[in-house]
Amino acid sequence: MGGMVRTPLTPEERERGERLGRLLREARGPRSMAEVAAEAGVSAETLRKIETGRAPTPAFFTVAALGAALGLSMDELAARCAPVGV
């Protein structure tokens, strides 16, 4: 990997990423990562990174597509993953 310089994540971003990952894992339940990723039109690798908190600031489109595949509304996702104290 080269080319893109990543700015370090703030603790808030990291925590939000972990919450999002947990929420998606719970919602996915027994379904395979590959199945959910395919339905959402994202790569399984992308889903894995988000679920493990390694992609804490995924694109809005990606989150929306995963939410739709998992039956989660954007309201639900936003409420569960919003920064604390806002």
Side-chain angles (χ1 to χ4, degrees):
M1 303 266 308
M4 245 177 71
V5 178
R6 301 223 21 187
T7 52
L9 294 168
T10 64
E12 289 79 23
E13 283 175 328
R14 192 172 291 120
E15 194 195 325
R16 194 168 60 223
E18 283 167 11
R19 280 209 299 275
L20 175 61
R22 243 192 331 269
L23 177 61
L24 293 177
R25 267 198 313 276
E26 286 168 16
R28 186 162 59 81
R31 296 165 71 191
S32 77
M33 230 179 244
E35 182 193 333
V36 171
E39 194 177 320
V42 303
S43 72
E45 174 67 7
T46 295
L47 178 54
R48 191 169 63 78
K49 281 185 178 159
I50 296 171
E51 283 195 6
T52 55
R54 295 229 320 284
T57 50
F60 176 84
F61 172 81
T62 302
V63 177
L66 286 168
L70 293 166
L72 294 166
S73 70
M74 285 311 292
D75 286 350
E76 223 173 325
L77 285 165
R80 291 284 296 271
C81 303
V84 180
V86 169

